[in-house]
Amino acid sequence: MTDINADVWISSAHRPMKFPEFVLVIASIMALNPLAMDIMLPSLPDIGVAFKIGDANRLQTVLSTFLLGFGLGQFVIGPLSDRFGRRPVLLIGMAVYCAASLLAIVAPSFETLLLARALQGLGTSATRVIATSIVRDCYAGRRMASVMSLVMMVFIAVPVVAPSIGQAIMLMAQWRGVFVVLTVYGMLALIWSAFRLPETLPLSERKSLAIGDVLDAYRQTVTNRQTLGYALAAGGVIGTLFGFVFTAQQVFTEIFHLGHYFPLAFAGIAIGVALAGFLNSRFVGRLGMRVISHGALIGYVAIAALMLAAVELDVLTLPVFMTLSALMMFAFGLVFANFTALAMEPQGHIAGTASSLYGTITTLLGIGIGYMIGQDYDGTLLPFATGFFLCTLAALCVVAVVEKGRLFTPHRMVS
């Protein structure tokens, strides 16, 4: 783990699962979301043909509608899990995901497919919020950041391989086969969680669902300088990721003419996030969340500026684009896990609600930014590069305000 003895900091709250299984099960349920996103990329042209959708930018709604359900669902998942516990809400959410995947398989129209995608997103909102809440139930501070980094390292393997899986499915079946795979994976994850994942929220710590109590928990979350600030900054950063995902298929096939090989390029870029997760899990306990995430964010801005300059100078070839994109994904991996831990650090007493609102803010803000970047796609990389640079610069400004100009240095935050 880090320079401290692993046995000292491994929580007993997730027994009977040992630490490796705990990391794997948390990663597997969180992976429902990126798998449902990225496995779709190779099938978008076929979906367009099947439903006679001529506008390639409109096909991005297959992704953005999913994320909209994901973002809105998080708003209520947290309070429900704080009241009824993590397990029942998680299992119901995963069941909704599986049912929505079945609906997508038989969808007779594009509108029905979008409804199924929204319901899929709603189901994965439970996995995202509750996975983070469970980790926060068991760990805090740098330990939470380290655990989240290990989870992210496993979790990020999904977007690395998902487009290739989607492409393989498309070679053997129609686009509906993608949803068959999503259904099977969802059911396996549901069974594993049902039999092995314990309840991590004691009865003594359950919260009321009374409107006043829920609103008070939301108030505590949004009025905490550290939580809200890092949520806004994370939303800006994740917007760059969504912008990349929304336009990836068009960029790699239309601009760089990779055709069916684009999943390989996508995987090569995504490996940067996996490497970041591994390194963060090793060093966050020693260096701290602020040192790593603030340094990575500054690097993110610099790399985005280089990409924008390369576009303006018309020197953004495929190797240059791949290199800069991989570096940006590496920076994203260092930023996001630590921003999540920093935002959740003051909210242990209302972890479910805080995780819920944090997820809603970051996802909806990210969707809005990513959607604008995607819809601005005009056959060039200028909207893409401009969006990356402006979002990362804005995130850096927010962090500077939150930390009152004192980057890298831990200090007492005032709510």
Side-chain angles (χ1 to χ4, degrees):
M1 298 298 159
T2 64
D3 53 342
I4 57 177
N5 190 315
D7 292 335
V8 174
W9 67 268
I10 291 177
S11 172
S12 62
H14 50 69
R15 289 177 179 171
M17 291 198 312
K18 294 184 178 179
F19 185 74
E21 185 183 3
F22 174 72
V23 171
L24 286 173
V25 75
I26 293 296
S28 72
I29 61 178
M30 286 184 67
L32 285 168
N33 181 270
L35 181 63
M37 274 285 292
D38 297 331
I39 201 173
M40 299 301 304
L41 296 178
S43 66
L44 292 180
D46 287 64
I47 291 174
V49 171
F51 294 117
K52 298 180 174 59
I53 308 297
D55 183 0
N57 283 0
R58 188 185 173 200
L59 287 172
Q60 294 177 16
T61 57
V62 175
L63 307 175
S64 58
T65 302
F66 170 84
L67 287 172
L68 185 61
F70 174 63
L72 293 175
Q74 292 180 78
F75 191 72
V76 297
I77 292 297
L80 289 175
S81 71
D82 278 345
R83 171 63 182 88
F84 298 108
R86 313 304 187 203
R87 268 179 55 86
V89 181
L90 173 65
L91 297 180
I92 291 171
M94 295 174 77
V96 169
Y97 173 89
C98 293
S101 299
L102 290 172
L103 175 61
I105 294 172
V106 299
S109 66
F110 189 64
E111 290 72 23
T112 304
L113 178 63
L114 293 183
L115 172 62
R117 291 290 287 168
L119 290 174
Q120 274 191 317
L122 180 65
T124 62
S125 68
T127 65
R128 174 66 176 83
V129 169
I130 294 176
T132 304
S133 300
I134 289 172
V135 175
R136 182 60 185 85
D137 289 340
C138 301
Y139 300 97
R142 295 185 182 186
R143 294 177 181 180
M144 180 184 176
S146 182
V147 174
M148 286 300 296
S149 293
L150 288 172
V151 169
M152 290 292 290
M153 189 172 63
V154 178
F155 157 85
I156 207 62
V158 174
V160 170
V161 301
S164 297
I165 295 173
Q167 189 67 66
I169 294 170
M170 294 302 298
L171 293 175
M172 297 181 291
Q174 296 180 340
W175 62 268
R176 296 179 193 272
V178 171
F179 289 101
V180 173
V181 172
L182 292 178
T183 303
V184 171
Y185 178 82
M187 289 181 173
L188 291 175
L190 174 59
I191 292 168
W192 189 8
S193 301
F195 281 97
R196 294 293 296 165
L197 189 64
E199 178 57 65
T200 58
L201 184 66
L203 287 172
S204 59
E205 296 183 19
R206 305 286 171 91
K207 308 298 181 184
S208 168
L209 268 184
I211 296 298
D213 292 334
V214 173
L215 291 178
D216 183 62
Y218 281 139
R219 180 195 59 78
Q220 291 181 57
T221 302
V222 299
T223 57
N224 184 281
R225 181 189 187 95
Q226 181 168 325
T227 300
L228 180 61
Y230 278 102
L232 294 175
V237 172
I238 204 171
T240 65
L241 180 66
F242 288 164
F244 176 78
V245 172
F246 288 171
T247 58
Q249 190 271 337
Q250 292 164 273
V251 167
F252 284 121
T253 59
E254 295 177 12
I255 296 178
F256 295 118
H257 309 293
L258 293 184
H260 295 311
Y261 294 102
F262 99 83
L264 298 178
F266 189 92
I269 290 172
I271 286 173
V273 188
L275 178 61
F278 172 75
L279 292 176
N280 194 61
S281 70
R282 300 290 296 179
F283 294 109
V284 69
R286 185 178 307 148
L287 300 176
M289 296 172 285
R290 287 179 172 85
V291 169
I292 293 176
S293 63
H294 295 173
L297 183 57
I298 291 172
Y300 206 157
V301 174
I303 297 162
L306 285 176
M307 178 176 282
L308 181 57
V311 171
E312 293 286 1
L313 296 172
D314 196 25
V315 294
L316 192 60
T317 60
L318 179 60
V320 175
F321 177 75
M322 290 282 293
T323 300
L324 292 176
S325 296
L327 288 173
M328 285 195 293
M329 292 301 103
F330 177 76
F332 173 85
L334 293 177
V335 167
F336 194 71
N338 289 303
F339 276 16
T340 299
L342 284 165
M344 292 294 293
E345 191 175 36
Q347 307 295 348
H349 60 298
I350 50 169
T353 301
S355 177
S356 178
L357 197 54
Y358 172 83
T360 299
I361 292 170
T362 56
T363 303
L364 293 183
L365 186 57
I367 291 170
I369 293 170
Y371 184 79
M372 286 190 292
I373 292 174
Q375 291 301 300
D376 282 344
Y377 175 77
D378 58 1
T380 74
L381 283 164
L382 184 59
F384 182 83
T386 303
F388 265 47
F389 176 68
L390 293 178
C391 288
T392 53
L393 183 61
L396 179 59
C397 292
V398 170
V399 170
V401 170
V402 169
E403 298 288 354
K404 300 180 179 179
R406 293 175 290 177
L407 299 180
F408 305 106
T409 306
H411 55 277
R412 183 177 181 273
M413 297 297 300
V414 178
S415 297

